[in-house]
Amino acid sequence: MPPVSNATFNGSKRDRFNQAFTIIRQELLDEFAAQNVPEDAQNWYRRNIDYNVPGGKLNRGLSVVDSVQVIKGRALSDAEYLKAAVLGWSVEFLQAFFLVLDDVMDRSLTRRGQLCYYRVPEVGTISINDAVLIESSIYFLLKKHFRGEPYYVDLLELFHETTSKTGTGQLLDLLSAPEDSVDLSKISLAKFEQIALYKTSYYSFYLPVALAMLLCEVPTTYESKSIGQQIEAYTVAQSILLPIGQYFQAQDDFLDFSGTPEQIGKVGTDIVDNKCSWCINTALAAASEEQRAILDASYGRRDPDAEARVKAVFEAVGLREKYRIYEEEVYARINTLIQAVPDDEGPYLKKKIFTDFLDKIYKRQK
């Protein structure tokens, strides 16, 4: 492998990003080996990374690189690309950390078309410690590549704050879905939106853009020459990206119900897990007394027949059409927010940052 300073990146967007992963992965393995841990532990750490980090769609990580290019308004040099890719892969490591733990808590079966990591032979509850190692990898990478940058502490704080918010969202999710007590009167669309905000919006949507803004040294506040107003850059970014994240979670919930394992890469478990999802809350608002009784008796039961009865009610209340209407409405609302963003020259916000995010998920099927 060439020295990092001489690394070049060629090919498609995904190819270049994966080339950066090869460099990052080797840095992590070398650092782990330098701690003089036994060879079997080194091999385990390597398998942990390879199984959990690179197998997804990579949208979060690639969005960091894309956002940096949009803000700079040009193609990146190889050195600039590596820095952006390190931040992008750090988001993917954070995603892997969350997913490994989430699958244990939800007792999920498959993830990204393969067995959930905790279900792999010989792994089991070791997966919890492996998740900690995945998370710690982020802070090694940040220190190695950004220790001398003026925004290094900002990067650390952003990752810590995002992790805290996501953990809060996971707590809200778990408390709303106790395994031994199903009470649909205790859930609501407002609770769903709060869970989605904390569990999904911050790390999946705001984090990648905020990282790109920090890397490009976008100021917290700047004067927009095109509209003659002060722009609170990070506040504006949140005001658009957090609603996109809530839309994404509603979409994810709908695909959990409507998608096949081959299509979405996992077995949908929201119904049997008693999740406070967009689907159940929307169905409850439209259900007749008879349909409500079926949902009360069947939701959150680990029973295929009960799950089938819930899905039948979802179909009967027209959940597919309700989702279609919801998606069009939320897409229009977010686009209105995006159009208010001025496109000033310089290291500032641009509309394209947000339209790229929205276009990636609009009407997605997996």
Side-chain angles (χ1 to χ4, degrees):
M1 180 186 299
V4 171
S5 59
N6 297 328
T8 58
F9 303 95
N10 302 295
S12 69
K13 180 188 298 188
R14 192 179 180 97
D15 287 343
R16 298 176 74 207
F17 197 57
N18 282 327
Q19 288 161 21
F21 177 74
T22 301
I23 294 171
I24 291 165
R25 175 182 180 273
Q26 193 60 50
E27 289 176 342
L28 290 168
L29 295 177
D30 289 345
E31 170 65 14
F32 200 72
Q35 298 175 35
N36 294 319
V37 297
E39 186 176 352
D40 61 342
Q42 294 181 43
N43 292 335
W44 188 281
Y45 179 60
R46 180 185 297 109
R47 181 176 73 162
N48 176 19
I49 292 175
D50 289 346
Y51 196 92
N52 292 304
V53 178
K57 294 185 285 292
L58 306 182
N59 285 339
R60 294 167 181 81
L62 286 167
S63 293
V64 178
V65 178
D66 291 344
S67 297
V68 170
Q69 291 182 153
V70 171
I71 293 169
K72 288 184 175 292
R74 58 172 174 78
L76 304 180
S77 68
D78 286 328
E80 290 173 327
Y81 182 86
L82 181 60
K83 279 186 172 290
V86 167
L87 291 180
W89 276 109
S90 294
V91 177
E92 293 295 328
F93 271 80
L94 187 66
Q95 161 82 341
F97 162 63
F98 290 142
L99 293 184
V100 169
L101 295 178
D102 189 65
D103 286 342
V104 174
M105 287 181 274
D106 288 347
R107 292 190 289 180
S108 298
L109 302 177
T110 59
R111 171 73 67 179
R112 296 172 173 173
Q114 60 185 3
L115 283 176
C116 291
Y117 184 56
Y118 79 96
R119 299 184 69 232
V120 172
E122 300 181 2
V123 175
T125 55
I126 298 176
S127 62
I128 297 171
N129 191 69
D130 282 349
V132 174
L133 291 175
I134 291 172
E135 185 196 22
S136 69
S137 302
I138 297 168
Y139 298 100
F140 165 76
L141 293 172
L142 294 180
K143 183 177 180 180
K144 181 174 181 62
H145 291 272
F146 298 98
R147 181 66 179 82
E149 301 293 350
Y151 50 84
Y152 174 60
V153 172
D154 294 320
L155 293 176
L156 295 177
E157 289 184 347
L158 181 59
F159 269 101
H160 283 308
E161 290 168 3
T162 302
T163 302
S164 177
K165 283 183 168 63
T166 308
T168 299
Q170 180 71 348
L171 176 62
L172 295 174
D173 187 25
L174 292 170
L175 291 178
S176 72
E179 292 186 16
D180 57 351
S181 176
V182 179
D183 185 351
L184 297 183
S185 68
K186 293 184 178 180
I187 66 173
S188 65
L189 274 174
K191 278 191 176 180
F192 157 77
E193 289 173 354
Q194 186 179 42
I195 292 168
L197 176 69
Y198 282 95
K199 186 178 178 181
T200 302
S201 293
Y202 281 103
Y203 95 89
S204 293
F205 293 90
Y206 177 65
L207 176 62
V209 173
L211 289 172
M213 292 167 67
L214 289 172
L215 181 60
C216 295
E217 299 188 66
V218 173
T220 303
T221 304
Y222 62 88
E223 178 78 22
S224 170
K225 295 180 180 179
S226 60
I227 63 173
Q229 294 180 6
Q230 287 287 317
I231 301 296
E232 301 287 339
Y234 294 82
T235 301
V236 169
Q238 280 197 16
S239 73
I240 296 170
L241 293 163
L242 297 184
I244 292 179
Q246 289 173 313
Y247 159 44
F248 177 87
Q249 186 60 57
Q251 191 177 57
D252 208 53
D253 290 353
F254 179 72
L255 288 172
D256 186 275
F257 151 64
S258 65
T260 65
E262 294 76 21
Q263 176 188 349
I264 63 176
K266 62 180 181 179
V267 177
T269 61
D270 285 356
I271 292 173
V272 298
D273 286 339
N274 188 29
K275 291 293 185 180
C276 178
S277 74
W278 181 90
C279 294
I280 184 60
N281 283 293
T282 303
L284 287 171
S288 66
E289 288 186 12
E290 181 181 356
Q291 290 167 332
R292 173 59 187 256
I294 294 172
L295 294 175
D296 283 331
S298 305
Y299 198 74
R301 272 66 176 181
R302 293 188 176 276
D303 171 7
D305 292 336
E307 183 181 17
R309 288 192 294 271
V310 172
K311 289 185 175 182
V313 172
F314 284 2
E315 297 288 5
V317 300
L319 195 66
R320 295 175 189 271
E321 177 62 12
K322 291 182 185 302
Y323 176 76
R324 186 194 67 77
I325 294 170
Y326 162 81
E327 184 167 46
E328 294 304 324
E329 289 177 346
V330 73
Y331 181 77
R333 185 165 66 250
I334 293 170
N335 261 319
T336 299
L337 295 173
I338 293 172
Q339 293 312 308
V341 177
D343 282 323
D344 293 300
E345 292 294 324
Y348 304 133
L349 294 180
K350 306 289 191 299
K351 288 185 179 70
K352 183 173 170 54
I353 295 172
F354 307 109
T355 56
D356 282 353
F357 257 105
L358 192 55
D359 290 345
K360 283 176 185 175
I361 67 171
Y362 179 54
K363 292 187 180 296
R364 72 183 174 100
Q365 297 298 313
K366 61 181 180 179

